Amino acid sequence: CWIRFRIAPARDTADRFIEIDNASLERIDVWFPGGAHERAGKHVDVRENPVKTRIRNIPIPRDLGPDGLVYVRVRTDTIMYVPLAVVTTREALCRSFRTNLVFGVFFGIILAIIFINLFSYMVLRNKHFLVYLCYLVSLLVYHLVVHGYMYFVPMPPRLLESLLWLSLAGLGVSMMVFAKRFLFLKERLPAVNTVLDVNIGLFLVQTALGVSGQAFLANQIAYITGFIVPIVIMATTVKLYVSGYREVRFYLIAWIALTAWWLSGGAPVRLAGR
C-alpha cells in the first residue's frame, strides 16, 4: 500500500512526527523530500528506532519544504489499517500518557483476575479455573503483542509473530474447552460439541501456519474461526437457557458483555482514541 501526502510547514520550532497508530503493521517505509528515509514496523528492531513508542512515531525533518511530498509504503500480512496523523512532541506525549494509563488499568484488572483464579484453583482444584486461567494468560499476552507493548522487548520478528499466534490459539482453544466443559455439551448437545472440536482443530492449523511464517493463510482461517466460534457458543448458551438450564445465565451475561466490548473495538483502543 502506497500513501502520498503533503505536510504543511511548521509554524514554530516544535518537533513533529508522523504517527501511525497501528502496532500490528510489519513494515513501514517513509520517504521525505530530499531522499531522507525512515523505517518502522514490527520487523524493525526497536533499538533502531529514534523514537521508542508503542505505536510508530516517525520524526519529520525540520527543514521540510512547503511543497514536498511524503511517500509512505506499508506492507503487512494483516488488515491494511493505516491511521496517519501529524503530531507535535506535546501531543504525542499526551496521547501516550492517556493510552498507557488506560492500558495499565486494563492489564492490572486482567492480572488481578489471573491471581484470583490461580488461588481458586489451588484451593478448590476445580479444572474450570485452570482452563479459565489459560484463557486469561493468553488474553494478556495477546493484547501485549497486538498493542505493541511486547515490541519493547528486543526479540527476532519471527518470535514476536509466534507469540501472537500462540496467544491467539490459547484464547480460542481455552474458550472452547471451557464452553464444552461448563455447558456439558458432550452430554447435552453432541453436535455442537463436535463443531467446537472441529474449530479447535482449525485453531491448531492456523497456529502452525502462523508460527511457520504463513501469516496470510493463517489469517484466512482466523477470520473463519473468529466469526463462527462466538456465534456458536452464544447461540448454544441461549438454547440451553431457554431449555431450562438456568445456571448458564451468568455465562450468557458474560458473553453479551464480551460481544459488546468486541463491537466497540476493545475498551483500551476506543478510550485512547483521538
Side-chain angles (χ1 to χ4, degrees):
C1 172
W2 283 89
I3 303 171
R4 183 182 67 177
F5 57 94
R6 284 185 172 88
I7 299 177
R11 297 181 179 179
D12 51 38
T13 59
D15 290 330
R16 296 185 300 168
F17 305 88
I18 295 175
E19 181 182 87
I20 302 178
D21 194 358
N22 183 357
S24 297
L25 299 174
E26 288 90 352
R27 297 169 292 273
I28 303 169
D29 292 277
V30 181
W31 286 273
F32 295 100
H37 175 221
E38 296 287 346
R39 298 172 61 244
K42 289 196 304 184
H43 288 185
V44 177
D45 194 314
V46 66
R47 291 167 291 191
E48 297 180 15
N49 288 344
V51 182
K52 297 173 177 60
T53 55
R54 179 185 66 84
I55 56 179
R56 312 308 171 214
N57 284 288
I58 301 163
I60 299 173
R62 291 189 177 185
D63 57 352
L64 186 69
D67 299 323
L69 287 173
V70 177
Y71 292 85
V72 177
R73 181 177 66 181
V74 179
R75 290 171 290 176
T76 181
D77 294 318
T78 58
I79 296 174
M80 186 64 72
Y81 174 58
V82 190
L84 281 167
V86 175
V87 299
T88 64
T89 301
R90 178 183 177 84
E91 290 171 334
L93 289 174
C94 288
R95 290 177 181 179
S96 179
F97 174 79
R98 291 196 304 267
T99 303
N100 291 333
L101 178 62
V102 175
F103 271 111
V105 173
F106 175 71
F107 292 143
I109 292 173
I110 297 298
L111 282 172
I113 300 175
I114 286 175
F115 284 116
I116 290 172
N117 276 269
L118 179 60
F119 178 77
S120 300
Y121 172 72
M122 293 177 65
V123 172
L124 301 175
R125 295 298 176 179
N126 188 320
K127 292 185 178 180
H128 288 332
F129 290 109
L130 191 60
V131 175
Y132 191 54
L133 186 65
C134 178
Y135 172 83
L136 290 170
V137 172
S138 299
L139 178 68
L140 180 63
V141 175
Y142 176 79
H143 279 286
L144 287 172
V145 174
V146 167
H147 295 292
Y149 287 97
M150 288 299 292
Y151 184 68
F152 291 111
V153 182
M155 66 178 74
R158 180 61 65 84
L159 178 57
L160 185 63
E161 197 72 15
S162 296
L163 283 176
L164 171 65
W165 290 107
L166 290 171
S167 61
L168 186 59
L171 272 172
V173 173
S174 58
M175 178 194 303
M176 287 183 281
V177 170
F178 185 86
K180 284 159 52 72
R181 293 174 60 91
F182 186 78
L183 300 176
F184 297 97
L185 293 182
K186 188 173 182 179
E187 296 81 11
R188 294 172 176 173
L189 295 170
V192 176
N193 187 72
T194 301
V195 169
L196 292 183
D197 284 338
V198 171
N199 278 276
I200 289 175
L202 288 175
F203 260 96
L204 297 178
V205 171
Q206 80 182 36
T207 303
L209 289 171
V211 170
S212 64
Q214 303 296 320
F216 178 80
L217 293 176
N219 273 298
Q220 303 311 303
I221 299 176
Y223 297 145
I224 298 173
T225 54
F227 177 77
I228 292 176
V229 172
I231 292 177
V232 169
I233 293 179
M234 283 194 66
T236 301
T237 308
V238 171
K239 176 178 175 58
L240 290 174
Y241 180 78
V242 173
S243 300
Y245 298 101
R246 301 302 183 187
E247 71 277 9
V248 305
R249 61 186 181 278
F250 299 111
Y251 190 55
L252 180 60
I253 292 172
W255 263 101
I256 292 173
L258 181 61
T259 302
W261 182 75
W262 278 343
L263 292 176
S264 69
V269 177
R270 283 301 175 94
L271 288 175
R274 300 184 179 87

